[in-house]
Amino acid sequence: MSGLTDLTLAEARDAVAAKKVSSSELTEAFLKAMEAARSLNAFITETPERAFEMAAASDKRIAAGNARPLEGLPLAIKDLYCTKGVRTTAGSKILHNYVPQYESTVSQNLWDNGAVMLGKANLDEFAMGSSNETSYFGPCISPWRAKGSDAKLVPGGSSGGSACAVSANLCLGATATDTGGSIRTPAAVTGTTGIKPTYGRCSRWGIVAFASSLDQAGPISHTVRDCAIMLKAMASVDPKDSTSVDLPVPDYEAGLEAGVKGLRIGIPKEYRVEGTSPEIDAIWNKGADWLKAQGAEIVEVSLPHTKYALPTYYIVAPAEASSNLARYDGVRYGHRAEGIEDLIDLYQKSRAEGFGSEVRRRILIGTYVLSAGYYDAYYLRAQKLRSLIARDFTEAFKQCDMLLTPATPGPAFAIGEKISDPVTMYLYDVFTVTVNLAGLPSLVLPAGLTESGLPLGLQFIGKAFDEATLLRAGRALEVAAQFTAKPQPWWRAP
Ligand code: GLN
């Protein structure tokens, strides 16, 4: 079989099951593609030996007729997921040498379903960022370029490596995480599909914590179907994460083609924000028209507290981060400063040397908003606003089954364009953070290209634990949008 790396996860699964290709052949093809794409910096650690070992074990199982749902399918794992015996850095210097003694529940679920690990994907440091530029291991570069330009673009963040690896055909799918948009932003700007499940749908155990009340695992993949397949394998209740939810995991793939006839799809008027590119507005209108043409009813709804979402998120997330990141002290694991005088000096120097500037900024903001005297003024108020933001969605869902919105205010930007101005960078999260504050599921998929040939995504936001309906609507939009564009492989040596 030729073009192995062009297959979707579903196609590869079917080809493996039909014995048209072996897992070892697939794995080799992806490892070669990864090698040829090192200039994109999509991976922090490649794990070829483990990949071949897992592939050989899968081929044996297939031969014996014991294949599991993801048997032999090569995936990339965001380097925020702890992988037993394989370095896990969270994109930070402070964990540059950390080798976990345990496996995250979600990655374990994937291996238990037969998947093969290709390596650990690049990300913003501790998943803090929207462009993958805060990684200690250097920025990941988008495989996409604007027409007639060779400017390097961001792949979105924080799961930039995951999105880049999928978009450049370096894996069949990738794990990602989303605290305020980190699955959806990279998917939107790289022409890939990602789903942030409901808070509690996937276990957070073994995933390096950023903001525990917002963090959620999910897949980035080529298609809605691939997302459905991966999410089914990733989701589970887990006694090791008390916020994981004990609800049956539906067969998301089974209902995919049911269409949107009779579904009511809400358009939140507050998402028409200033500063959004006209091309995004146009694709949003087009998306609504496509769904209407397939029998959905489009209704205007209101989410009145939307304007408070970014300030609320940028208080809650740093507050939780400052607490979660207190564990990196240079004592137990990770980077330890040399030439220290006493314990306090060890903490101070190790943390100052180990954390990059964006992470330090978050720790400072978080500590400030939690400190006595400021707690009520900032943190408590943010918590109250969070409830109001969540209530907006509850009210809106009385009028509709899901919402359709833009995913990002614009297409991918150039590396270096926003990184020196954190507030501009934070504004890029305007359409995604509300969902995390409310704990809801949300799907992003490609809907079109800009004039200059860059992908634009649309976002569906659903009711809690209604991923199945989101995926079904996503599939309908995918069929209508017929997005088949791929980046030109400029990164491959001629
Ligand atoms: N861009 C957001 C932030 O920097 C979201 C990151 C994420 O979802 N992990 O906080």
Side-chain angles (χ1 to χ4, degrees):
M1 257 182 99
S2 64
L4 290 181
T5 58
D6 298 336
L7 297 173
T8 66
L9 182 86
E11 287 165 354
R13 173 190 64 183
D14 298 345
V16 167
K19 299 204 169 67
K20 288 189 190 143
V21 63
S22 71
S23 174
S24 302
E25 287 167 313
L26 266 180
T27 301
E28 191 180 353
F30 281 110
L31 288 168
K32 275 201 181 135
M34 283 161 62
E35 200 181 320
R38 291 216 177 113
S39 59
L40 298 177
N41 204 18
F43 287 86
I44 292 176
T45 306
E46 296 178 8
T47 55
E49 279 156 29
R50 171 145 332 192
F52 279 127
E53 229 170 75
M54 291 173 105
S58 280
D59 284 333
K60 267 198 198 140
R61 268 192 173 256
I62 294 161
N66 291 328
R68 296 160 293 180
L70 297 178
E71 198 67 63
L73 305 181
L75 303 178
I77 301 295
K78 184 177 184 178
D79 205 18
L80 200 65
Y81 289 66
C82 287
T83 41
K84 189 175 176 183
V86 174
R87 178 171 81 135
T88 299
T89 69
S92 182
K93 180 177 177 186
I94 212 155
L95 289 176
H96 74 278
N97 56 1
Y98 173 55
V99 178
Q101 299 300 307
Y102 52 84
E103 187 75 27
S104 82
T105 297
V106 167
S107 51
Q108 188 61 51
N109 287 346
L110 290 168
W111 316 142
D112 291 347
N113 274 273
V116 168
M117 175 162 79
L118 292 168
K120 304 295 294 287
N122 202 349
L123 71 159
D124 279 298
E125 186 177 3
F126 283 100
M128 297 176 191
S130 310
S131 64
N132 208 138
E133 289 167 284
T134 71
S135 170
Y136 171 64
F137 299 88
C140 170
I141 293 153
S142 175
W144 291 85
R145 281 176 166 180
K147 265 187 221 152
S149 159
D150 56 10
K152 288 182 178 156
L153 302 178
V154 303
S158 65
S159 313
S162 303
C164 171
V166 174
S167 175
N169 291 356
L170 312 181
C171 61
L172 289 171
T175 68
T177 62
D178 194 310
T179 303
S182 280
I183 291 176
R184 293 162 288 153
T185 300
V189 302
T190 59
T192 56
T193 304
I195 185 164
K196 180 211 109 54
T198 313
Y199 185 77
R201 181 73 285 185
C202 292
S203 169
R204 288 180 295 107
W205 194 79
I207 298 174
V208 175
F210 165 8
S212 307
S213 77
L214 303 163
D215 298 343
Q216 187 54 206
I220 293 181
S221 65
H222 290 296
T223 63
V224 174
R225 180 173 302 275
D226 289 359
C227 268
I229 296 167
M230 280 188 72
L231 181 59
K232 163 98 179 126
M234 291 165 75
S236 67
V237 63
D238 180 6
K240 295 194 288 256
D241 173 5
S242 61
T243 64
S244 71
V245 172
D246 190 7
L247 278 177
V249 183
D251 181 352
Y252 297 115
E253 200 184 356
L256 273 189
E257 305 292 345
V260 288
K261 196 152 193 254
L263 281 184
R264 283 170 311 163
I265 298 182
I267 304 289
K269 59 175 190 238
E270 291 79 4
Y271 280 49
R272 299 211 181 270
V273 297
E274 218 180 293
T276 304
S277 110
E279 290 184 304
I280 298 261
D281 272 332
I283 200 83
W284 189 14
N285 293 335
K286 214 173 189 181
D289 288 345
W290 283 330
L291 294 165
K292 200 167 161 189
Q294 295 186 55
E297 188 191 335
I298 304 295
V299 291
E300 188 181 86
V301 295
S302 174
L303 300 170
H305 296 92
T306 300
K307 61 175 177 292
Y308 301 113
L310 275 175
T312 302
Y313 172 84
Y314 277 99
I315 289 174
V316 174
E320 295 187 19
S322 76
S323 165
N324 272 325
L325 271 57
R327 72 191 71 172
Y328 305 104
D329 53 12
V331 176
R332 287 160 294 186
Y333 42 70
H335 175 74
R336 175 179 293 182
E338 289 182 9
I340 49 114
E341 282 168 12
D342 54 25
L343 186 62
I344 300 294
D345 200 36
L346 168 73
Y347 293 159
Q348 286 178 342
K349 286 209 179 104
S350 301
R351 287 169 68 80
E353 290 171 8
F355 291 133
S357 59
E358 182 59 30
V359 173
R360 286 205 296 264
R361 180 169 18 253
R362 307 269 180 130
I363 293 173
L364 288 172
I365 294 173
T367 310
Y368 179 83
V369 300
L370 288 175
S371 56
Y374 296 105
Y375 186 92
D376 290 359
Y378 293 106
Y379 186 70
L380 210 61
R381 281 176 88 189
Q383 292 293 28
K384 287 179 185 162
L385 279 166
R386 184 175 183 176
S387 302
L388 293 173
I389 290 162
R391 200 166 70 191
D392 282 356
F393 283 104
T394 311
E395 290 301 313
F397 286 138
K398 288 180 182 161
Q399 284 165 265
C400 61
D401 301 295
M402 66 181 70
L403 306 171
L404 179 74
T405 79
T408 54
F413 46 91
I415 291 198
E417 193 178 316
K418 293 188 199 287
I419 194 72
S420 54
D421 181 0
V423 174
T424 317
M425 188 73 89
Y426 298 169
L427 290 175
Y428 205 65
D429 302 333
V430 60
F431 299 125
T432 50
V433 295
T434 50
V435 166
N436 304 73
L437 290 166
L440 298 172
S442 169
L443 172 74
V444 163
L445 69 153
L449 292 175
T450 63
E451 275 284 296
S452 59
L454 296 177
L456 294 173
L458 283 175
Q459 166 173 256
F460 285 102
I461 304 172
K463 297 177 182 170
F465 298 102
D466 198 15
E467 285 84 359
T469 314
L470 274 190
L471 288 160
R472 173 179 137 200
R475 174 67 190 140
L477 192 94
E478 187 178 53
V479 170
Q482 293 187 3
F483 184 92
T484 51
K486 284 300 270 181
Q488 293 305 312
W490 53 266
W491 60 89
R492 280 190 214 144

